[in-house]
């Protein structure tokens, strides 16, 4: 309930001409409603599950060509991702995750820990239980959640909504879609993007947001969408877009 109250206060403050930053980010940190709550400020050298949870939320800010490890260890790469996240939202960009950073994350996430602009339903139009893929249902669903946080960062960068035509697929759904037998859709960490902006713009900007796999115009069967995913090694191919 607290997160929803904060949203209402934010709306009222904007209408009255007050500073949203002053309203939301002063005093004690806000607490997530139905999701994860951080209990300490995090900085380099620290480790734990709270660090891993932070890494999930800033996984879309690793920098060009990089992928942030979700290892629960707050090293230089995590600090850089936190700094980029802070800069994107107009916060003090010091690479330390404290009350202001956590309050911004709470404002961005729903009670199921997905970012506010994406849902599990958008990442799975195959079945209701995430089963039948290359990994367990729980792993596929977790992978989709990480993908959504990366998409949230890409959406923020582009300044426009993103539309997903395909996410998780079981082997049966993948076969029906004519997908590759090694498709990342089977792992739950892939999304096919349609709509605006241009497919090339989406592919080009995705290089900054933690996607090891980017396929777009110029790659076979990808003229009508941009595909982003995770994988063990980088593979980008969208020749029409200069990638």
């Amino acid at each position: 309930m607290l997160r929803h109250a904060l949203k209402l206060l934010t709306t009222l403050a904007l209408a009255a001409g007050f500073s949203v930053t002053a309203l939301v980010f002063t005093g004690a940190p806000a607490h997530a409603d139905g999701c994860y709550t951080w209990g300490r400020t995090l900085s380099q050298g620290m480790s734990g599950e709270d660090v891993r949870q932070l890494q999930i939320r800033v996984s879309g800010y690793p920098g060009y060509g990089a992928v942030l490890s979700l290892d629960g260890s707050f090293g230089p790469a995590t600090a850089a991702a936190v700094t980029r996240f802070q800069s994107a939202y107009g916060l003090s960009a010091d690479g330390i995750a404290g009350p202001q950073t956590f309050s911004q994350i709470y404002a961005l996430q729903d009670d199921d820990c997905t970012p506010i602009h994406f849902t599990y339903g958008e990442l799975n139009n195959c079945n209701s239980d995430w089963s039948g893929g290359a990994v367990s249902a729980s792993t596929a669903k977790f992978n989709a959640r990480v993908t959504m946080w990366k998409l949230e960062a890409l959406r923020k960068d582009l300044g426009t909504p993103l539309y997903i035509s395909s996410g998780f697929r079981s082997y049966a759904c993948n076969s029906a879609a004519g997908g590759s037998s090694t498709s990342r859709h089977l792992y739950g960490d892939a999304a096919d993007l349609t709509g605006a902006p241009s497919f090339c713009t989406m592919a080009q900007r995705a290089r900054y947001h933690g996607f090891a796999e980017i396929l777009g115009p110029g790659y076979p069967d990808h003229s009508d969408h941009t595909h982003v995913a995770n994988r063990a090694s980088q593979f980008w191919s969208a020749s029409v877009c200069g990638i």
Side-chain angles (χ1 to χ4, degrees):
M1 294 299 295
L2 180 56
R3 188 171 66 84
H4 298 295
L6 285 170
K7 285 188 175 181
L8 176 60
L9 287 171
T10 298
T11 301
L12 293 173
L14 286 171
F18 292 109
S19 167
V20 174
T21 300
L23 173 71
V24 176
F25 297 130
T26 58
H31 284 231
D33 184 7
C35 189
Y36 190 84
T37 299
W38 285 267
R40 59 174 179 163
T41 294
L42 300 176
S43 59
Q44 284 199 62
M46 301 177 76
S47 62
E49 178 60 18
D50 50 358
V51 174
R52 192 179 79 95
Q53 291 294 329
L54 173 65
Q55 289 170 330
I56 292 170
R57 275 70 170 184
V58 300
S59 59
Y61 293 90
Y64 182 89
V67 176
L68 184 64
S69 295
L70 309 180
D71 58 5
S73 179
F74 200 126
T78 299
V82 170
T83 299
R84 294 185 188 96
F85 174 86
Q86 292 166 330
S87 294
Y89 286 95
L91 306 178
S92 177
D94 57 8
I96 298 171
Q100 290 190 2
T101 300
F102 295 138
S103 290
Q104 182 61 68
I105 292 173
Y106 297 146
L108 284 172
Q109 70 183 3
D110 283 324
D111 290 349
D112 62 358
C113 300
T114 62
I116 56 176
H117 295 109
F118 299 94
T119 67
Y120 282 120
E122 289 178 273
L123 268 290
N124 182 0
N125 56 16
C126 170
N127 58 37
S128 61
D129 61 5
W130 300 83
S131 65
V135 292
S136 70
S138 61
T139 296
K141 192 172 183 179
F142 172 78
N143 289 345
R145 178 155 61 96
V146 176
T147 298
M148 281 187 269
W149 281 102
K150 294 181 181 183
L151 291 174
E152 185 71 25
L154 177 59
R155 185 186 193 277
K156 177 68 173 175
D157 183 2
L158 295 172
T160 185
L162 294 174
Y163 300 96
I164 301 167
S165 62
S166 184
F168 167 75
R169 299 174 189 163
S170 66
Y171 279 105
C173 289
N174 189 59
S175 178
S180 163
S181 61
T182 60
S183 172
R184 295 307 306 182
H185 289 283
L186 296 164
Y187 296 81
D189 60 12
D192 291 347
L193 308 177
T194 60
S198 72
F199 301 139
C200 280
T201 297
M202 288 189 280
Q204 290 161 351
R205 295 311 302 172
R207 295 176 295 178
Y208 295 85
H209 296 293
F211 295 106
E213 182 170 277
I214 303 171
L215 308 175
Y219 188 79
D221 301 320
H222 285 71
S223 62
D224 60 350
H225 68 280
T226 293
H227 166 94
V228 293
N230 193 23
R231 53 180 287 154
S233 58
Q234 187 183 97
F235 180 57
W236 296 347
S237 183
S239 60
V240 170
C241 312
I243 298 174

